[in-house]
Amino acid sequence: MIEPGLAIHGGAGTIPAASLDPAGANAHHAALRVALAAGWAVLRDGGTALDAVTASVCALEDEPLFNAARGAVFTDAGTLEMDAAIMDGRDRRAGALAGICGPRHPILAARAVMDHAGTVFLAGAGAEMFLREQGFEFLPAAYFTTQRRLDALHLELARRAAGAPDTRSDADRHGTVGAVARDVFGDLAAGTSTGGMTAKRRGRVGDTPMIGAGTFADNATCAVSTTGTGEVFIRYTAAAEIAARIRHAGQSLEQAAGDVITELLSRGGDGGLIAIGPAGPPVLPFNSSGMYRGYVTADGVFHTAIHREDYRR
Ligand code: ASP
């Protein structure tokens, strides 16, 4: 039996340490732990990595503190457009969706694409038609709406209208949720889900649903889920780049993931990622001020952190 492993993130759009009071920090830690528990229960009982990442991401999507599904950010037109992807490291099957609003769990919708659409990536009217055929309920925008994200949208639109410089915190700009896992069979999987960037252009799609950029899994190398300024992660195919360095340059997961995150920053890409390989602990590097994140060690102990402080156990 192979040692299972699990890591999750709630995005690099963290509230600055100076503005996060103890109650706020505790709430984020608690939410991360709920998501770790959901995924770990699957792995501990001998379930698949795919089911574990699905369970963790579903928990994170339900949590309004994070920018995915409930609590998602708004486009510049005041609409909600969510992106999600899931990938199975056993055979590199994948499913992705862009710009959807309705399913309570976009990650389950992405999984339905993987399992039933006969293709990898759906967007637009065809995506909605497919999901309705699959029996997904379309919830009203009100379900996903939070005052905090409305305030962030209105502030950003006012700033743009005034031509003022962008001094927003990461928390007001973006966020994402994701999970990577290795099960007792040694199989890897990754899942990622996001509302994208606050006040993004309508129709804009970030790295999250793009296989090889924001989401990737291959048993031979690693499973990766990213968060950050999506445009840069897309142009540098961030997740696939890590796998390529492992495969072709013989790098360790830690070195490949750490180097890619450092290089992305020099190209204007701030954020982070979580990744796990066929053996060993997951890695969770970031170049931003923080990244809501957590992992489980083989003994079942949960570790969570927000900024650069020590992990809470
Ligand atoms: N990468 C996401 C996007 O570009 C945002 C984030 O992770 O913060 O849509």
Side-chain angles (χ1 to χ4, degrees):
M1 188 182 96
I2 290 165
E3 239 174 41
L6 173 70
I8 61 166
H9 71 80
T14 51
I15 297 171
S19 348
L20 190 61
D21 61 20
N26 290 342
H28 285 84
H29 280 279
L32 290 168
R33 274 159 199 276
V34 167
L36 283 175
W40 189 247
V42 174
L43 294 174
R44 197 196 45 212
D45 293 347
T48 65
L50 203 57
D51 285 342
V53 301
T54 303
S56 284
V57 173
C58 280
L60 292 161
E61 287 178 334
D62 279 345
E63 172 53 66
L65 288 173
F66 303 123
N67 172 17
R70 195 158 163 235
V73 302
F74 291 88
T75 69
D76 58 3
T79 56
L80 292 157
E81 297 182 1
M82 299 163 205
D83 304 333
I86 192 159
M87 189 162 183
D88 185 341
R90 287 177 291 197
D91 48 11
R92 293 210 195 189
R93 284 190 323 132
L97 282 159
I100 62 162
C101 182
R104 174 177 163 192
H105 292 300
I107 197 71
L108 292 179
R111 193 158 168 180
V113 172
M114 177 171 83
D115 290 337
H116 304 297
T119 189
V120 170
F121 203 150
L122 287 179
E128 182 171 336
M129 209 164 65
F130 167 77
L131 294 174
R132 287 192 190 278
E133 280 165 17
Q134 288 292 313
F136 279 88
E137 187 187 352
F138 273 63
L139 301 173
Y143 167 77
F144 302 100
T145 299
T146 55
Q147 192 57 45
R148 171 185 166 207
R149 300 303 189 184
L150 281 175
D151 292 347
L153 171 67
H154 295 139
L155 273 175
E156 173 56 7
L157 294 181
R159 180 194 74 77
R160 288 181 189 174
D166 188 355
T167 56
R168 291 174 297 159
S169 74
D170 288 342
D172 288 336
R173 287 172 42 227
H174 60 103
T176 287
V177 307
V180 295
R182 177 182 63 234
D183 59 33
V184 294
F185 314 105
D187 295 325
L188 308 181
T192 318
S193 176
T194 192
M197 311 288 288
T198 301
K200 65 186 179 183
R201 174 188 291 276
R202 277 206 84 172
R204 176 263 187 193
V205 180
D207 57 326
T208 297
M210 295 193 192
I211 301 306
T215 305
F216 185 75
D218 180 6
N219 277 4
T221 51
C222 56
V224 182
S225 170
T226 72
T227 171
T229 35
E231 283 69 11
V232 184
F233 283 67
I234 291 170
R235 289 192 285 118
Y236 290 89
T237 54
E241 177 66 22
I242 294 168
R245 290 179 189 203
I246 295 170
R247 182 194 294 273
H248 301 298
Q251 291 187 0
S252 68
L253 176 67
E254 189 173 14
Q255 183 183 358
D259 287 355
V260 165
I261 280 301
T262 303
E263 288 162 33
L264 282 169
L265 184 62
S266 70
R267 308 264 160 73
D270 66 324
L273 60 86
I274 53 173
I276 194 164
V283 297
L284 305 87
F286 58 98
N287 62 34
S288 39
S289 60
M291 178 169 79
Y292 301 117
R293 62 199 185 281
Y295 67 96
V296 188
T297 40
D299 51 4
V301 178
F302 293 2
H303 298 65
T304 53
I306 299 174
H307 301 103
R308 294 187 184 277
E309 77 283 12
D310 290 341
Y311 278 86
R312 276 193 203 176
R313 283 154 198 263

